[in-house]
Amino acid sequence: MRKKRKGSDTDTCENIQEESKSSQQAKSANFVSHFSLEDYIRLNKRCKEDASSEPVSSCKSRLAGIATAPPCGASSLLASPGRGLKRKIGCIDVATQTGRKKKIEDEYVSGSTIGRGKFGSVWMCRSKASGVEFACKTLRKGEETVHREVEIMQHLSGHPGVVTLHAVYEEAECFHLVMELCPGGRLIDKMIEERNHLERRAANIFKDVMLVIKYCHDMGVVHRDIKPENILITSSGKIKLADFGLAVRISNGQTLSGLAGSPAYVAPEVLTGNYSEKVDIWSAGVLLHALLVGVLPFQGDSLESVFEAIKNVKLDFHKGLWESVSKPARDLISRMLTRDVSARITADEVLRHPWILFYTERTLKTFPMKSKSKNQLGHTIATVMESHGNRIAGLFLGEDLKPESLADSLSCKSEEQDESGLVDALAVAISHVKISETKRSRLCGPTGPLEQQRSSNLTSTNLCRAC
Ligand SMILES: Nc1ncnc2c1ncn2[C@@H]1O[C@H](COP(=O)(O)OP(=O)(O)OP(=O)(O)O)[C@@H](O)[C@H]1O
């Protein structure tokens, strides 16, 4: 059960950035002005390795502000790491508390290390009782984020898009979190393998990501580290959101402060002041950018230049790589990567966006699109729109944009119109879409045993409060 040091690389961040720069220069024209995902992932990974071997003057100190959530009321905890921890574990429910009395090695056989993060390592283990394999994340005590991560995972566990927490074992120096194993690896690796995703595939992956983000927000949790490295894939190919190390609870109308996130994905308001759950929408927009065109939108040779780009670069979704992307997809991403937080759409609105609906609704998916005559096409669309009328029509403002008129406008297209043309036709309607601010549902309003324990155990320790 000992942690294995992954690799022995001791490069500094500067070296990595130099390497990234030279490998960048060798890439094709499309990639000249961008870090590729591989570059970014390598930079990030090596920085983590530096962080564990060179705590001072390495990447850790340079990334500390952004990559690690500021501990809430951490000073006393950090000064005496052991104090208060027992009380804090009280936020873990009855099922997981059983782990406190037993040792993990009594119940699980340890396997190889499968990942390493900022706060600990992740390794495989097998239940002695059932033979089922799990992933175990071992977190060193001492950071309040560790307790928050356990509590939030417990709070969210049960949703199909969240990695399920099976048990927690507490030792003097660490916690072991026994989680559902996601053997399909990370979304980032799939993205690198597949490069640009077909829009249909991208939309289906992205919808699942947004469903879980919406769930987090409905449950009063801001993840703060949405990125493809933190999206894992199950044996059946479903996505699961993992790594709640930077997640915090937020109550309705509350704002957060403090740098937290991963540089390329961080929202501009995190860099400049107070923020809300909308930071997850921005990060998901960065992810969508990478899914659609294979590169990250905000890049630079240093952290400062990445942040500068996040704050100021004006993205142009009409040129270059975006020319082959449908207008609705571009419309969605522009609504997510908007710096005006009040104009940035919510998770619910993303899920109701025509691009998502078009590619992911069952009827639309099986919709025959090629070789339709004008009338057939118009009629089929009218039927589809009718069956989705309530959801899609709700997005449109004004009499002229009723589903029937959308069908009419689509029926004027050529007989040879293909799928992407049809998606583009949706753009006509999208230009009139009014996405209204929906009433935020149940932020920080959980019920049940966890909430009862939370209020009794944690109010005084700030564990469940946002920073
Ligand atoms: N349930 C799981 N099943 C399979 N692999 C997992 C699981 N959880 C984590 N991993 C692997 O371990 C890696 C690190 O896990 P995780 O991201 O939770 O740690 P972390 O310390 O919070 O990381 P980070 O430094 O990225 O914030 C993941 O990228 C993934 O490869």
Side-chain angles (χ1 to χ4, degrees):
M1 307 227 174
R2 294 230 52 85
K3 286 177 273 171
K4 269 193 242 163
R5 176 88 173 88
K6 196 169 75 179
S8 56
D9 205 316
T10 53
D11 283 350
T12 63
C13 243
E14 286 77 8
N15 291 342
I16 299 159
Q17 286 168 353
E18 281 309 312
E19 260 184 61
S20 292
K21 261 193 273 177
S22 50
S23 71
Q24 240 181 298
Q25 281 156 8
K27 289 191 191 296
S28 68
N30 275 348
F31 288 80
V32 166
S33 60
H34 302 280
F35 273 135
S36 69
L37 288 171
E38 289 98 321
D39 288 338
Y40 176 74
I41 198 171
R42 198 155 46 105
L43 179 79
N44 220 16
K45 190 170 126 198
R46 298 261 194 92
C47 284
K48 272 184 203 160
E49 288 174 352
D50 277 354
S52 53
S53 60
E54 297 171 41
V56 184
S57 75
S58 66
C59 282
K60 184 174 185 181
S61 52
R62 295 177 57 189
L63 284 173
I66 190 70
T68 306
C72 304
S75 51
S76 60
L77 249 181
L78 291 173
S80 54
R83 270 178 65 92
L85 296 180
K86 285 251 154 39
R87 258 184 306 126
K88 286 179 178 183
I89 199 75
C91 61
I92 295 163
D93 83 1
V94 178
T96 53
Q97 278 187 43
T98 54
R100 294 167 60 198
K101 306 211 172 68
K102 297 191 176 169
K103 287 192 169 329
I104 188 166
E105 50 268 34
D106 295 340
E107 298 183 340
Y108 294 86
V109 179
S110 65
S112 55
T113 300
I114 49 179
R116 176 175 289 280
K118 283 185 297 292
F119 302 114
S121 58
V122 180
W123 42 280
M124 270 178 58
C125 63
R126 185 188 298 275
S127 160
K128 289 182 181 174
S130 66
V132 174
E133 287 188 318
F134 293 93
C136 179
K137 185 168 179 175
T138 297
L139 296 165
R140 292 179 298 276
K141 286 181 181 175
E143 299 259 7
E144 182 144 359
T145 52
V146 169
H147 304 274
R148 210 164 50 198
E149 179 168 359
V150 176
E151 191 271 332
I152 286 177
M153 275 196 83
Q154 182 68 56
H155 178 52
L156 297 176
S157 242
H159 186 275
V162 174
V163 171
T164 308
L165 183 62
H166 283 274
V168 178
Y169 292 84
E170 184 177 5
E171 288 183 8
E173 300 297 322
C174 62
F175 289 119
H176 301 292
L177 276 56
V178 180
M179 303 174 286
E180 153 188 26
L181 178 67
C182 297
R186 306 174 310 169
L187 178 60
I188 183 85
D189 303 315
K190 296 277 175 275
M191 286 166 68
I192 289 167
E193 278 167 26
E194 290 184 35
R195 281 287 163 191
N196 302 4
H197 285 75
L198 292 174
E199 288 197 25
R200 177 182 303 284
R201 180 148 161 70
N204 279 280
I205 294 170
F206 195 64
K207 179 184 178 181
D208 287 345
V209 172
M210 290 311 305
L211 280 170
V212 64
I213 292 175
K214 174 175 156 39
Y215 170 70
C216 291
H217 293 179
D218 287 350
M219 293 292 282
V221 172
V222 187
H223 186 278
R224 298 202 299 184
D225 203 12
I226 299 290
K227 56 180 180 178
E229 290 90 326
N230 286 338
I231 295 166
L232 306 180
I233 298 166
T234 65
S235 50
S236 61
K238 294 277 173 211
I239 67 106
K240 295 264 178 181
L241 184 58
D243 192 0
F244 291 87
L246 297 186
V248 282
R249 298 261 202 152
I250 188 172
S251 55
N252 211 348
Q254 186 185 0
T255 54
L256 305 169
S257 61
L259 288 172
S262 295
Y265 294 83
V266 81
E269 65 271 22
V270 174
L271 304 172
T272 54
N274 294 337
Y275 56 90
S276 68
E277 77 282 356
K278 289 273 187 85
V279 296
D280 288 344
I281 304 295
W282 176 278
S283 307
V286 174
L287 165 62
L288 180 59
H289 189 289
L291 270 175
L292 289 171
V293 295
V295 291
L296 292 165
F298 307 107
Q299 310 209 6
D301 296 339
S302 62
L303 275 184
E304 292 69 29
S305 55
V306 172
F307 295 160
E308 191 53 32
I310 290 168
K311 285 189 274 185
N312 295 316
V313 160
K314 191 167 168 10
L315 296 172
D316 186 345
F317 298 116
H318 297 100
K319 289 199 298 208
L321 300 172
W322 289 97
E323 279 168 16
S324 58
V325 175
S326 71
K327 284 181 189 151
R330 294 185 233 168
D331 177 84
L332 174 58
I333 198 164
S334 67
R335 289 174 190 269
M336 297 180 79
L337 292 180
T338 175
R339 294 185 178 93
D340 176 353
V341 178
S342 60
R344 192 180 306 155
I345 63 178
T346 64
D348 191 48
E349 288 163 346
V350 172
L351 288 164
R352 290 189 285 118
H353 190 277
W355 183 72
I356 297 281
L357 294 179
F358 181 84
Y359 277 121
T360 65
E361 290 288 303
R362 199 165 50 84
T363 317
L364 293 172
K365 263 193 198 171
T366 54
F367 173 52
M369 282 176 238
K370 295 205 174 181
S371 306
K372 284 273 167 197
S373 74
K374 263 189 200 180
N375 288 343
Q376 274 177 308
L377 184 66
H379 177 261
T380 314
I381 291 168
T383 311
V384 168
M385 298 307 272
E386 200 180 318
S387 62
H388 294 273
N390 289 342
R391 296 184 69 191
I392 296 180
L395 289 172
F396 298 97
L397 186 70
E399 288 297 308
D400 56 330
L401 281 162
K402 290 255 168 70
E404 311 82 66
S405 50
L406 175 63
D408 284 349
S409 83
L410 291 171
S411 70
C412 297
K413 294 265 170 183
S414 117
E415 289 181 13
E416 296 301 309
Q417 183 174 36
D418 62 6
E419 184 171 331
S420 77
L422 191 58
V423 177
D424 273 352
L426 278 172
V428 175
I430 287 168
S431 61
H432 296 262
V433 166
K434 178 180 185 302
I435 297 179
S436 59
E437 198 60 39
T438 48
K439 208 172 153 196
R440 205 161 46 171
S441 51
R442 199 156 74 91
L443 279 180
C444 213
T447 53
L450 180 65
E451 172 61 11
Q452 286 153 19
Q453 291 186 46
R454 185 174 77 89
S455 52
S456 59
N457 289 299
L458 302 170
T459 334
S460 60
T461 62
N462 277 353
L463 181 61
C464 296
R465 285 194 209 143
C467 302

